[in-house]
Amino acid sequence: MKNFTIVSVLLSVFTVTSFTSLAQPKSDFLKDRNVLEFSSRSYASVPQYNKQSQVRNDEARSSFVATENCTSLQFKFAQLIDSDIESIANTYLYNFIDEWWAVRYRYGGSTKRGIDCSSFTGKLISAVYGVELPRTAREQYANTTRINRMDLQEGDLVFFNTRGGVSHVGVYLKNDYFTHSSSNTGVTISSLNDPYYSRKYIGAGRVNKELKEESIFE
């Protein structure tokens, strides 16, 4: 009887130990499996996040470098004509405008003590594009080729009827902005969409090819 009791106790201990040892690996296995699945999901999401971040960083870096390489002149005129800084590329053009900026209007004038609209456009076109224009707005209109407003390009002339007939002229820049010598503010930049200039607008002209050739070989 005593031996039977001892055997029973030993069998009970062995059984409990066996089940415990079997159950423990299963629990650890499930735990490890969950950790692996979580790690896999997390790892899978990392490349996509890093890729998007890299793209954003590259774009920001490119924008910073482009902005850093721009001049104060480009900043100034980009704001004035509501344009990207990089699009202010014709430095001869914008330097000329900057040099004459705010010079007062003077009818018949042609110096920095005072200049009228057609003298200003004539000087600008000559200095920037090497083309000589006639003196008056009316003559400049007659010596340019008519173009549609939608076809305007930098350096084209825009004409207005402010005192009867062709009486005012400016040089087109971009985004519907043009530079001119205004009787109110002197050399400045205005918009073709301004109610006053929109109402007074006559048309646009491009310098004739013949006139360019003549000025080049003079």
Side-chain angles (χ1 to χ4, degrees):
M1 184 66 180
K2 182 178 180 181
N3 291 335
F4 176 77
T5 303
I6 293 172
V7 171
S8 298
V9 169
L10 290 173
L11 287 173
S12 299
V13 171
F14 175 77
T15 303
V16 171
T17 303
S18 300
F19 278 112
T20 302
S21 61
L22 289 172
Q24 184 64 38
K26 184 176 181 180
S27 175
D28 290 342
F29 173 76
L30 292 174
K31 180 179 179 182
D32 292 342
R33 182 180 177 185
N34 290 336
V35 169
L36 287 171
E37 288 179 352
F38 175 77
S39 299
S40 298
R41 289 194 300 270
S42 301
Y43 179 77
S45 64
V46 168
Q48 182 179 4
Y49 174 79
N50 287 342
K51 184 177 181 180
Q52 292 173 347
S53 298
Q54 186 64 42
V55 170
R56 288 195 295 269
N57 289 339
D58 289 344
E59 291 176 348
R61 190 179 297 108
S62 297
S63 177
F64 174 77
V65 171
T67 301
E68 193 176 44
N69 290 335
C70 291
T71 65
S72 58
L73 186 76
Q74 288 174 297
F75 274 110
K76 173 182 177 178
F77 286 100
Q79 292 179 341
L80 287 171
I81 64 174
D82 192 24
S83 180
D84 294 332
I85 296 173
E86 295 83 0
S87 69
I88 309 300
N90 191 337
T91 54
Y92 291 107
L93 172 61
Y94 291 100
N95 269 317
F96 183 91
I97 299 171
D98 197 49
E99 289 175 4
W100 285 81
W101 189 259
V103 170
R104 71 185 184 92
Y105 177 89
R106 179 184 175 189
Y107 182 75
S110 59
T111 69
K112 289 188 177 178
R113 290 183 297 177
I115 190 168
D116 65 20
C117 63
S118 57
S119 181
F120 175 70
T121 57
K123 286 180 179 294
L124 185 154
I125 296 298
S126 175
V128 177
Y129 300 102
V131 177
E132 299 301 323
L133 292 175
R135 176 63 179 85
T136 68
R138 192 183 300 273
E139 290 172 329
Q140 290 175 6
Y141 183 83
N143 282 273
T144 54
T145 302
R146 302 281 71 73
I147 57 174
N148 293 325
R149 178 171 169 174
M150 65 189 323
D151 296 323
L152 276 167
Q153 297 176 3
E154 186 179 274
D156 288 335
L157 303 185
V158 286
F159 299 93
F160 306 87
N161 177 0
T162 55
R163 294 191 306 270
V166 181
S167 50
H168 189 64
V169 60
V171 178
Y172 185 76
L173 300 175
K174 58 185 61 183
N175 292 342
D176 287 329
Y177 287 93
F178 66 100
T179 182
H180 62 132
S181 180
S182 165
S183 59
N184 293 325
T185 57
V187 175
T188 187
I189 288 175
S190 302
S191 173
L192 292 173
N193 297 319
D194 178 279
Y196 175 79
Y197 292 109
S198 178
R199 188 172 64 253
K200 299 293 185 178
Y201 180 76
I202 293 177
R206 188 162 292 160
V207 177
N208 292 332
K209 184 174 183 293
E210 291 76 18
L211 186 59
K212 286 186 178 180
E213 291 175 345
E214 289 173 4
S215 64
I216 290 173
F217 294 106
E218 278 182 352

